[in-house]
Amino acid sequence: PRHIMLDLWGSATIRTGGEDFAQALALLGVTPVWDTASARVTGFEILPQALCEFPRVDVTLHVSGLFRDMFPGLIALFDDAVRAVAACDEDASFNPLTQAEDLRRVFGAASGSYGLGVGDKIVRGDWTTQEELARQFIENAGHALDREGASSPARPAASAAGIPSRSTLAPDAKIIRLKASRMRSCPALSSWWYSPTTRVPRGTRRI
């Protein structure tokens, strides 16, 4: 696929030590940069096209309120990685981000808000159509988060990130299965050390 959305939860990130987030970086063709002295991640590297096992994927993250509040450094790192990948001098057939006009790729509930209200709406029976529930989800989950974690007014997250609807997907679209070797660098939770206040990512470079 050229576009994909990953759902990141704070509890799952704690449980897996950041495995889902590492998968998002791998799909972008990005690897973490480690500080050997502290064994922490301080930046990222963009894999050159020759070393990528598959074309870069335009990845959008939908994050929970807990993830937003607990891992601001990961939001900053991902935002920096997306913009760095988009700036690469690569063909759009390999790197769809080079043609993206809007590079906001992290969405979730508004700052200070938790949950999307869809479950409560269903329990109360306060809905009539699936489209109504979908609209509730998009309105509450479509707040774009910047690298500092601040949210902007709700907008359709999928269209903002250029993610096609199911009806527009190619019939031969395939799911990419990542090799375990690509995931061996998934860091422990305490190893993600990336400050959202750092304007120039430490350790960011092309390899």
Side-chain angles (χ1 to χ4, degrees), residues 96-146:
L97 280 168
T98 60
Q99 291 189 328
E101 296 181 4
D102 189 340
L103 291 175
R104 290 178 293 180
R105 289 297 184 274
V106 183
F107 294 85
S111 299
S113 298
Y114 301 88
L116 304 178
V118 176
D120 293 338
K121 201 175 187 71
I122 293 174
V123 170
R124 295 194 307 268
D126 185 21
W127 63 285
T128 55
T129 65
Q130 291 184 350
E131 288 73 16
E132 184 179 348
L133 295 177
R135 186 166 55 253
Q136 171 93 15
F137 178 90
I138 291 297
E139 288 177 355
N140 291 346
H143 291 259
L145 303 176
D146 62 23

Side-chain angles (χ1 to χ4, degrees), residues 27-141:
L27 289 169
L28 283 174
V30 169
T31 60
V33 169
W34 294 81
D35 176 67
T36 55
S38 63
R40 288 177 170 175
V41 173
T42 58
F44 57 85
E45 296 174 338
I46 301 176
L47 289 173
Q49 184 170 343
L51 295 183
C52 290
E53 299 176 13
F54 46 80
R56 302 191 198 280
V57 180
D58 185 349
V59 181
T60 294
L61 301 183
H62 171 255
V63 302
S64 69
L66 180 61
F67 183 98
R68 176 200 64 215
D69 293 348
M70 290 189 65
F71 304 108
L74 297 190
I75 293 176
L77 190 151
F78 190 77
D79 185 82
D80 290 340
V82 166
R83 296 178 187 280
V85 168
C88 291
D89 184 16
E90 296 174 335
D91 190 88
S93 62
F94 177 79
N95 182 356
L97 280 168
T98 60
Q99 291 189 328
E101 296 181 4
D102 189 340
L103 291 175
R104 290 178 293 180
R105 289 297 184 274
V106 183
F107 294 85
S111 299
S113 298
Y114 301 88
L116 304 178
V118 176
D120 293 338
K121 201 175 187 71
I122 293 174
V123 170
R124 295 194 307 268
D126 185 21
W127 63 285
T128 55
T129 65
Q130 291 184 350
E131 288 73 16
E132 184 179 348
L133 295 177
R135 186 166 55 253
Q136 171 93 15
F137 178 90
I138 291 297
E139 288 177 355
N140 291 346

Side-chain angles (χ1 to χ4, degrees), residues 135-198:
R135 186 166 55 253
Q136 171 93 15
F137 178 90
I138 291 297
E139 288 177 355
N140 291 346
H143 291 259
L145 303 176
D146 62 23
R147 73 183 309 279
E148 281 78 30
S151 61
S152 57
R155 60 181 299 176
S159 61
I163 296 176
S165 65
R166 180 179 298 181
S167 62
T168 63
L169 290 176
D172 60 345
K174 298 178 180 178
I175 300 299
I176 296 173
R177 179 173 294 176
L178 295 180
K179 294 182 179 179
S181 61
R182 291 296 302 277
M183 301 301 294
R184 67 178 181 270
S185 61
C186 292
L189 176 65
S190 60
S191 298
W192 289 111
W193 192 255
Y194 193 81
S195 173
T197 60
T198 303

